Amino acid sequence: MEFGFSYVGLVYLLMLFLPNLLWTRCRPAGYEAAGQENRVLLVLERAGEVLTTCSVLVFRDFNLRPCSLWSLWLAASFVAMLLYEGFWIRYFHSARQMEDFYAPLLGIPMAGAVLPVAAFGLLAVYGRNPVLLTSASILGIGHIGIHLGHRRALKAGI
């Protein structure tokens, strides 16, 4: 692991945060009533957000290197981020209902929660960085867990 600024990490964070900022103004109808969030999952999500944000920026391991087979990890990670952007484009062009927010994308359930976690996990493998892998895992447990609860509440009609 090598300390230093990661411009790839910055690009990923911009791809993550910009649609989320728009979402704060375009939340799906009924999102607030989706269910009480588990406090443990909420703590894990918040900790994972901070850890992932910091680790993706302070390690230069994620910056571009000469092309090799190892670069396929970066390509897979970037594809996950592009699919995440596609999820948001589809959502913003929808009726913005809870069903739209939790609809699968290309067979990926809860794409808005799963894809960024997968992208950061794959980026960690590309960078051979256990700090980001651990951070993304913590984020995934909290973030995906919370959204599983919301989706269950939606299916139960709560």
Side-chain angles (χ1 to χ4, degrees), residues 62-85:
F62 315 116
N63 291 337
L64 298 177
R65 297 188 294 258
C67 197
S68 71
L69 280 177
W70 203 255
S71 302
L72 292 174
W73 291 106
L74 178 62
S77 173
F78 192 67
V79 166
M81 283 306 288
L82 289 176
L83 288 171
Y84 179 69
E85 299 303 314

Side-chain angles (χ1 to χ4, degrees), residues 20-119:
N20 277 280
L21 288 173
L22 289 174
W23 174 79
T24 61
R25 301 183 67 129
C26 304
R27 289 186 180 174
Y31 183 80
E32 289 76 23
Q36 185 75 16
E37 294 175 348
N38 179 301
R39 289 180 189 223
V40 172
L41 292 177
L42 192 57
V43 167
L44 289 171
E45 180 187 44
R46 296 295 183 257
E49 288 169 348
V50 170
L51 293 168
T52 299
T53 299
C54 292
S55 59
V56 80
L57 289 175
V58 302
F59 292 106
R60 71 170 77 189
D61 304 328
F62 315 116
N63 291 337
L64 298 177
R65 297 188 294 258
C67 197
S68 71
L69 280 177
W70 203 255
S71 302
L72 292 174
W73 291 106
L74 178 62
S77 173
F78 192 67
V79 166
M81 283 306 288
L82 289 176
L83 288 171
Y84 179 69
E85 299 303 314
F87 159 81
W88 282 113
I89 290 168
R90 183 190 68 183
Y91 171 75
F92 288 129
H93 284 91
S94 72
R96 297 186 195 137
Q97 301 297 312
M98 287 291 283
E99 295 81 13
D100 303 317
F101 194 61
Y102 288 109
L105 177 72
L106 300 175
I108 301 167
M110 297 187 324
V114 170
L115 287 169
V117 172

